[in-house]
Amino acid sequence: MEANDRSIAGFTMAGHGLVHWFETAIPIFLVVWLAEFDVGVALLGLVVALGYAPFGLGALPAGILVDRFGPKRLVLVCLAGMSLGFFALAASRSIVAIALALVCWGVAASIYHPAGLALISTGVEDRGTVFAWHGIAGNVGIALGPFVAATLLIVLEWQLVAAIMAVPGLLAIGYGLTADFDATAAVDDDVDAGPAEALSLSELLTNSRALFASAFAIVFVIVTFEGLYYRGMLTYLPEILHGLPAMEAIALPEGLEGIEAADYVYVGLLVVGMAGQYVGGKLTNRVDPGRGMAVLFAVFALLALAFVPAIQLGLGAIVVLCGVFGFFLFAIQPFYQNAVAVYTPADTRGLSYGYTYLGEFGLGAASIAIGGYVLDGFSTAAFFFLIAGFALAGMILSAALAAGLDRVLEARTPVETGTDD
């Protein structure tokens, strides 16, 4: 990679890792709060949801701000806001204070994906490689966040642990302030991809209509189905694994109360996902986005269906299936991130990624409610069939994109934005 690519890679990897570091640490604190405060699970679940909701819903306004102020500045604001949220958590002495601190974190965290991915898409020449390393950093954060939080909580009060968890954010801000790179190095000289004047409402609507009259509309729906699959599987797979006889039969060493064998299997699939991120990122330089996503969605459907008989089998089959699942689940992320870069104009890249992560984390979260209803009212097999249906829908749309549906849309309505010179 060139020096500019390396600098952007380091900056965005730090940001991506920390977003998920904070995100996955929060449920660990939930266990402690249930023991410390005299509230029910439903109320505390609502409090935590207040933090997670802005993470997805705030992506669109964050994307608009990225196009206005530039991605580097917004990533730094994100890091500062997330750290401030956890420092506020450390100072909390009531459920209300915890809720406010989590909302602060969620609003700040929503900024990262539109800003970080817009920066990669406009500043990096070797996008595939940087998308790969960027994704790996996210998986590192996903795995380390709960591990570090749970380990520290064994010996420290939760307020002190929250403060310690915030420190890496401050270090990343210091690194980011010294990072030197060209955020528009990968776009043509005649394209204005830098910070723009504030958009009027009419210009914002014009840009949005132009995006959704183009191939981006297909990409948006594809990403939404990926989000439905991703959120549904990662939310309920740990609970499903915990209830399997193959897991319950494993006796862990003394001193690991509250930790089950299923937890290790789940963390293991997240670690395997790092390899998927890397391979997927490298393949984006060689494989058409639509074709790659179509193949991966087909694999998703098969893997979801494979869980139906596998959960009745022994530990070995479950571990192998989870490992394969983790690899492919994260291999698709560089493909749809690259698809946004391929099918959108550079001057609305922040807005494009804002819509993308509104679909991924916002609309995709609907599978939590749908999946919970199916698991509660029907069966585990029905849940996996539902999840496979999301994958099949994504496969069909991805195949249509690969077959040239984007060219049909572009022929009917050329992409024009309200910010073009």
Side-chain angles (χ1 to χ4, degrees), residues 16-72:
H16 195 206
L18 284 169
V19 166
H20 294 296
W21 160 274
F22 289 121
E23 176 199 10
T24 54
I26 292 172
I28 303 300
F29 288 101
L30 176 64
V31 178
V32 180
W33 296 333
L34 282 170
E36 180 162 334
F37 296 99
D38 187 21
V39 295
V41 177
L43 176 58
L44 203 51
L46 177 61
V47 167
V48 173
L50 289 174
Y52 281 140
F55 187 33
L57 299 178
L60 179 55
I64 297 170
L65 293 174
V66 170
D67 288 333
R68 172 66 181 89
F69 295 104
K72 179 179 180 180

Side-chain angles (χ1 to χ4, degrees), residues 87-233:
F87 279 125
L89 199 61
S92 299
R93 296 295 182 272
S94 68
I95 289 296
V96 173
I98 289 174
L100 292 174
L102 291 177
V103 168
C104 174
W105 173 83
V107 170
S110 72
I111 298 172
Y112 178 73
H113 286 90
L117 292 168
L119 176 57
I120 293 172
S121 71
T122 60
V124 171
E125 295 288 349
D126 188 1
R127 271 204 309 256
T129 298
V130 174
F131 276 141
W133 286 107
H134 177 264
I136 289 172
N139 277 64
V140 171
I142 288 172
L144 283 183
F147 175 79
V148 172
T151 302
L152 292 176
L153 284 168
I154 295 173
V155 294
L156 299 174
E157 294 293 326
W158 70 264
Q159 291 93 342
L160 180 56
V161 174
I164 292 172
M165 297 290 289
V167 172
L170 300 182
L171 298 177
I173 293 171
Y175 169 71
L177 291 172
T178 62
D180 183 23
F181 51 76
D182 181 357
T184 60
V187 299
D188 295 334
D189 294 337
D190 60 345
V191 176
D192 182 12
E197 295 298 323
L199 292 177
S200 66
L201 178 59
S202 63
E203 289 173 323
L204 176 61
L205 292 176
T206 297
N207 288 355
S208 297
R209 282 197 298 267
L211 284 173
F212 282 96
S214 72
F216 176 75
I218 308 172
V219 175
F220 174 79
V221 180
I222 290 171
V223 171
T224 298
F225 277 112
E226 192 279 338
L228 289 167
Y229 185 96
Y230 175 92
R231 277 298 185 206
M233 286 294 282

Side-chain angles (χ1 to χ4, degrees), residues 134-144 269-271 273-274 277 330 333:
H134 177 264
I136 289 172
N139 277 64
V140 171
I142 288 172
L144 283 183
L269 77 84
L270 298 176
V271 173
M274 298 179 197
Q277 290 273 14
F330 291 97
Q333 292 185 359

